[in-house]
Amino acid sequence: MDCGFYLYGIFPTPGPEHIDGEGLDRQPVYSYYLDDFTFLYSPAKQEKYLASRRHLLSHEKVLEQAMSAGFRTLLPLRFGMVVKSWEAVKEQLTVPYRNQLKELFVKLTGLQEVSVKIFWDDKVELQALMESNPSLKAKRDSLEGKALSMDQIIQIGQMIEVALARRKEIVIDAFRSELNSLAIEVIESAMLREGMIYNAAYLIPWESEPKFGETVEIIDQKFSDRLRIRYNNFTAPYTFAQLS
């Protein structure tokens, strides 16, 4: 039994007529034209979808297939959007936000979103910090095995925290100084996992991605094996397609 329509994204007309492959629940993906917009959707078999890895990947795959087919200007919709009718979409989205949607299409034309997430090993970095800072290491070692006051514990903890923050800033500044100038817009987001020290999305021209990716790799090499870089060079522009 269908529970309505599951929506993936919005394209300027004419948009994709169909997408090869399947959407959520292995359902075919169709196009629907509404108020100068093209929606990609599939029949919804559930009223609510669990944000599982399988479902999230299915959602992303539909949008990536559209982009691969040449429909690169799109507004991705958040995961789990199920609607009962197209009239509801009209009333709640295309009518009240018509101008904003069109402005976003203009903004994103010819541009793509890429993202860089940087990780390091906290324990490895702490050890490296101590090896590179003999005075701090000596101070820490001199306190080992002693009954410390709360002030002493806070003091040495703050010294280590400040020194680690400085090491982190050196890494982040290297990426900012090389990458930000290549982007039209940059948005830095919160850290999502332990060991993540930087999380940024960049809006760049499609044709400049090879240079951007090469620059990421060059910066990474400067830090030898200290970092793990997750670079996504083909993703729907979630970060830059926000309605105000």
Side-chain angles (χ1 to χ4, degrees), residues 16-27:
E17 294 184 2
H18 69 280
I19 294 297
D20 294 331
E22 299 171 331
L24 271 70
D25 292 326
R26 304 179 67 86
Q27 294 299 300

Side-chain angles (χ1 to χ4, degrees), residues 41-57:
Y41 77 97
S42 60
K45 298 300 181 180
Q46 305 175 47
E47 293 186 356
K48 292 184 179 180
Y49 283 89
L50 177 68
S52 65
R53 176 176 172 79
R54 177 170 60 87
H55 285 160
L56 290 169
L57 288 176

